[in-house]
Amino acid sequence: MMQFIKSSLIVITASLLITSCNNNNQIDEKTGLENNFKIVGKISGAGNEKISLEAQSQQGIIHVAEATLDENGTFELTGNIPGFGIYSAVLGGNARNAIIIPLNVNDQVTINGTKETFSTETKFEGTSWAKPMNQYMKLFNEFAKQQMEQMPKIKDQEAQLKHFLELKKPITLFAQKQINKDPSNPANIVLVNLIMPSQEMGFSGWDSKNLDLLRKMNQAYSKTYPDSPLSKMLTQQIVMIETEYENNRRYTSGEMDAPEITLPNPQGTELKLSNLKGKVVLVDFWASWCAPCRRENPNVVRLYKTYNNQGFEVFSVSLDEDATAWKAAIEKDGLIWSNHVSDLKGWQTPLTQVYGFQSIPHTVLLNREGKIVAVGLRGTELEQKLIELLKK
């Protein structure tokens, strides 16, 4: 179910510019900045190893603080941070052996764990975000374990996606409850990605209640962390989601006429989408070079053969630039319907703006009146909606 992605929704990232390094004294001798956080704890089995606090920035990884664990694995990290942000505690210089820390100014954090399970079972204490982060890590680890055990056994891509969403439910439900209960909690900046629309699914199957949660969290963050870059990024993200959600609602409400498409077919004859009014039409944006599109084509062929005699048509719009490759793909994939068009402009086609998509395959389903009733449907969801429309 993965799409060929040209560009995608922005996601919350730890894009912070750190203005100072660390020391183990009250004042950093190099910068003169006062230490404004402390992380202490014990990591069993990691005696004499290094532990460092890092952050991502547009310039790359910023090393905020570093300490050496004693023989018993105890340590103390202090330093100066410019404000609330997402950081990583890295053990032994191994980026894969790291934990996420939603650190804020004046936080006094205690972490305890073992070297072998540092990235998965380390426990936090001492802050308002410690408990929800501990719960999140436990649920995430169970989710990851189930994925590794169960997903390889499922070969069908559609079944994989369905099972993935089922496995994800407990951790998503936790994120929803936590954000609703305590919208300003620093841990939410980690949890929020669980309730945002995904690149793979967009708004298909997305719980619209998540938008209210995002707004609630944004309001709380804007008040509690007004100067944090993460708060500003969150606001920008939610504005984008609100806009795209409203566009998606309009595209799926049955209120909007499908914008006209008038383009030549492989023989040079112009075809009009509006000429198919009276039929249930799948407008299928694809290309010969798009591997996910080609994998989806057999399903579209099956639907056409099954439902064409009931009033179903396919209007295929190619984002190819090479006419020969376009025609060859039509032949090879057995796309037997006659409605194939392209302006051979690739991603420069104005239809990406007219129909509001940034990745392919992209489908738009029209009712018999030529109005848009669904976007982005494939597989079982597409067939179920198709059956529903054909009965009307």
Side-chain angles (χ1 to χ4, degrees):
M1 274 292 187
M2 293 295 289
Q3 295 175 309
F4 185 95
I5 296 175
K6 181 195 177 197
S7 60
S8 60
L9 290 175
I10 299 172
V11 295
I12 293 294
T13 58
S15 300
L16 295 177
L17 296 178
I18 306 303
T19 58
S20 66
C21 295
N22 74 298
N23 71 14
N24 288 318
N25 301 315
Q26 193 64 24
I27 301 294
D28 190 305
E29 295 179 357
K30 293 182 179 180
T31 65
L33 296 173
E34 183 178 352
N35 293 331
N36 61 6
F37 74 87
K38 180 186 288 187
I39 303 174
V40 300
K42 180 177 181 179
I43 310 300
S44 299
N48 301 316
E49 295 212 22
K50 298 282 187 181
I51 187 168
S52 60
L53 188 71
E54 301 176 351
Q56 293 284 342
S57 77
Q58 294 177 345
Q59 288 73 39
I61 296 175
I62 303 296
H63 295 278
V64 183
E66 185 177 279
T68 300
L69 284 71
D70 67 17
E71 292 182 355
N72 297 317
T74 60
F75 70 93
E76 178 178 307
L77 274 174
T78 59
N80 181 280
I81 56 175
F84 169 55
I86 300 177
Y87 300 82
S88 296
V90 182
L91 182 64
N94 183 356
R96 300 185 65 177
N97 203 15
I99 53 175
I100 297 173
I101 299 182
L103 195 65
N104 200 6
V105 171
N106 297 324
D107 273 353
Q108 304 284 315
V109 189
T110 299
I111 61 176
N112 290 288
T114 68
K115 179 179 178 179
E116 292 75 16
T117 61
F118 180 73
S119 64
T120 57
E121 297 181 13
T122 294
K123 296 294 189 298
F124 299 103
E125 295 178 9
T127 67
S128 64
W129 51 262
K131 183 177 179 180
M133 281 299 294
N134 288 338
Q135 292 174 298
Y136 163 73
M137 287 182 68
K138 181 178 179 180
L139 288 168
F140 182 83
N141 292 330
E142 182 61 27
F143 168 61
K145 179 182 177 182
Q146 290 179 331
Q147 268 192 288
M148 291 182 64
E149 292 176 349
Q150 300 176 27
M151 295 299 285
K153 300 175 184 178
I154 305 172
K155 303 304 179 184
D156 179 73
Q157 285 190 326
E158 185 178 344
Q160 276 188 345
L161 180 56
K162 185 176 181 180
H163 191 63
F164 171 83
L165 294 175
E166 193 64 30
L167 292 179
K168 190 182 172 186
K169 275 185 179 179
I171 194 170
T172 301
L173 183 60
F174 167 71
Q176 291 172 325
K177 289 182 176 180
Q178 170 61 32
I179 292 172
N180 185 55
K181 177 180 67 174
D182 188 6
S184 66
N185 195 291
N188 295 342
I189 202 63
V190 177
L191 302 178
V192 70
N193 287 298
L194 292 164
I195 66 169
M196 288 186 173
S198 69
Q199 294 176 1
E200 294 81 16
M201 295 290 291
F203 293 105
S204 177
W206 189 64
D207 187 350
S208 60
K209 294 178 182 178
N210 288 333
L211 190 54
D212 292 330
L213 292 176
L214 291 172
R215 289 170 177 152
K216 186 174 183 178
M217 176 180 164
N218 184 47
Q219 184 178 16
Y221 266 50
S222 296
K223 181 178 180 180
T224 308
Y225 318 107
D227 299 322
S228 171
L230 287 181
S231 292
K232 295 172 183 176
M233 288 173 64
L234 180 65
T235 298
Q236 293 171 357
Q237 173 94 34
I238 293 173
V239 168
M240 181 185 297
I241 291 174
E242 287 176 327
T243 300
E244 295 197 10
Y245 180 76
E246 177 57 25
N247 288 339
N248 182 77
R249 189 201 64 77
R250 290 174 59 239
Y251 275 129
T252 58
S253 65
E255 303 169 0
M256 181 178 177
D257 289 321
E260 182 66 285
I261 300 176
T262 304
L263 290 176
N265 68 7
Q267 292 74 43
T269 302
E270 283 197 341
L271 302 181
K272 285 188 175 182
L273 175 61
S274 59
N275 287 343
L276 295 178
K277 278 189 177 181
K279 306 279 190 178
V280 174
V281 180
L282 180 71
V283 184
D284 186 19
F285 294 94
W286 73 296
S288 65
W289 42 261
C290 169
C293 302
R294 303 294 294 273
R295 288 196 297 268
E296 186 66 20
N297 278 342
N299 185 56
V300 180
V301 172
R302 181 186 65 80
L303 292 176
Y304 180 79
K305 289 180 177 179
T306 304
Y307 299 104
N308 175 244
N309 62 359
Q310 299 178 40
F312 174 57
E313 286 290 346
V314 180
F315 193 87
S316 292
V317 184
S318 171
L319 270 66
D320 274 288
E321 297 181 24
D322 184 333
T324 300
W326 172 37
K327 296 173 186 178
I330 293 173
E331 179 70 23
K332 185 174 182 180
D333 291 2
L335 310 184
I336 56 179
W337 48 91
S338 59
N339 304 301
H340 291 276
V341 299
S342 180
D343 56 14
L344 297 177
K345 293 181 180 180
W347 282 111
Q348 299 308 310
T349 178
L351 292 175
T352 59
Q353 297 298 317
V354 172
Y355 274 84
F357 66 93
Q358 297 178 321
S359 63
I360 55 175
H362 179 72
T363 60
V364 181
L365 191 61
L366 314 183
N367 64 17
R368 296 184 190 275
E369 290 73 46
K371 294 184 181 294
I372 298 173
V373 293
V375 294
L377 296 185
R378 294 194 294 279
T380 302
E381 285 186 317
L382 172 58
E383 186 165 13
Q384 290 174 344
K385 188 65 176 179
L386 180 57
I387 292 171
E388 174 190 324
L389 293 171
L390 289 171
K391 288 180 180 179
K392 295 182 179 179

